[in-house]
Amino acid sequence: MSRGRLVVGNWKMNPATVADATALARTVGAMAHPGTEMGVAPAAIALTAVADALRGSDVSVYAQDVHWEVAGAYTGQLSVSMLRGRAAGSIVGHSEVRRDQGDDDARVARKLGRVLGAGLRAILCVGETEAQFAAEETAAVLKQQIDRDLSDVRGITADRFVVAYEPIWAIGTGRPATGAHASAAARTIRTALRVHGVPADAIRVLYGGSVSAASVAEFAGAAGIDGALVGGASLKSDEFAAIIKAFGG
Ligand code: PEP
């Protein structure tokens, strides 16, 4: 099944200023990307400026996180209505948000339900820790995450739902997984999705974790992997361009 390729840059708490983020967005907006859909996820404060810079381009904008409630006393948070006109959707369940903000699968499920219910696209992140990897628990962890994270949602469609397989031990370490490990994870993820009635063969599964110009070939050629969620390398336009090109084939 041809699902189309997708590469999204997660800029995290970078670059240093909104002006820098806007300049990077303009560079990404001008990149050639035959055969690859592109996206960027800037910091919340830069969402509006980046969305304006990319208006009319083929690059979609995503929030890095969003709250499960629609409004209220939630200091520091973004609601789905705040994304309208700015972002196509949001990353949900990134391991750094799970780690730093205490998001468990129950919260991730509520966030996912909110994003999809608002008609936005969700990029759901799942992945095992280093200890779970060493104990060969990857498949069990992914199955449990998918089961719990999807507990609140129905009627998922391929145009609005993407899964990013991000082994935590590979994020920002310069030690990516192998293509074979990513492919096995993608198989596990799709099997778990099917249990929830999700059209798994149509759902894109991205790999994330130290993807760079040097490592991308491993994943661009991996069965069942349809693109990448890219952190550090997405801040360097040459690296990001090379990753996009590799997925374009
Ligand atoms: C990420 O945090 O989503 C990520 C993939 O980061 P990096 O590419 O820097 O490992």
Side-chain angles (χ1 to χ4, degrees):
M1 153 151 320
S2 170
R3 289 177 287 260
R5 300 296 183 98
L6 171 65
V7 174
V8 177
N10 174 14
W11 293 351
K12 310 192 186 193
M13 202 166 70
N14 300 294
T17 67
V18 172
D20 290 343
T22 308
L24 181 58
R26 289 212 177 90
T27 306
V28 173
M31 282 177 187
H33 56 100
T36 309
E37 195 182 328
M38 279 161 58
V40 294
I45 197 168
L47 265 176
T48 303
V50 168
D52 287 345
L54 289 172
R55 220 171 288 288
S57 79
D58 295 334
V59 183
S60 298
V61 178
Y62 295 89
Q64 295 176 8
D65 188 27
V66 72
H67 202 271
W68 60 84
E69 294 291 352
V70 289
Y74 302 101
T75 303
Q77 307 300 308
L78 286 182
S79 70
V80 285
S81 67
M82 293 169 185
L83 302 188
R84 290 212 186 285
R86 296 179 174 83
S90 182
I91 296 172
V92 176
H94 192 282
S95 59
E96 288 157 10
V97 179
R98 293 182 192 245
R99 178 194 69 198
D100 296 341
Q101 289 169 37
D103 272 17
D104 56 10
D105 287 310
R107 279 197 197 175
V108 172
R110 295 175 75 186
K111 289 182 174 186
L112 186 61
R114 180 63 66 198
V115 171
L116 295 173
L120 298 169
R121 181 187 275 180
I123 302 175
L124 172 68
C125 298
V126 293
E128 79 281 9
T129 64
E130 174 114 62
Q132 290 163 337
F133 174 65
E136 298 185 5
E137 292 170 359
T138 301
V141 168
L142 294 177
K143 185 180 172 324
Q144 185 177 77
Q145 285 178 331
I146 293 287
D147 281 348
R148 292 180 174 172
D149 295 350
L150 267 63
S151 59
D152 243 17
V153 291
R154 304 277 175 280
I156 285 180
T157 55
D159 54 333
R160 291 202 286 112
F161 182 67
V162 175
V163 179
Y165 167 58
E166 297 213 309
I168 295 168
W169 50 271
I171 294 179
T173 59
R175 194 161 56 89
T178 62
H181 181 74
S183 289
R187 274 197 302 278
T188 301
I189 287 165
R190 289 201 172 89
T191 302
L193 290 175
R194 268 180 215 110
V195 174
H196 290 265
V198 177
D201 290 330
I203 300 290
R204 288 185 283 195
V205 176
L206 314 183
Y207 168 78
S210 295
V211 176
S212 65
S215 70
V216 65
E218 181 81 8
F219 304 103
I225 296 294
D226 307 302
L229 183 56
V230 185
S234 69
L235 298 167
K236 300 173 201 140
S237 41
D238 291 356
E239 288 268 324
F240 196 51
I243 292 165
I244 289 158
K245 186 161 176 240
F247 274 104

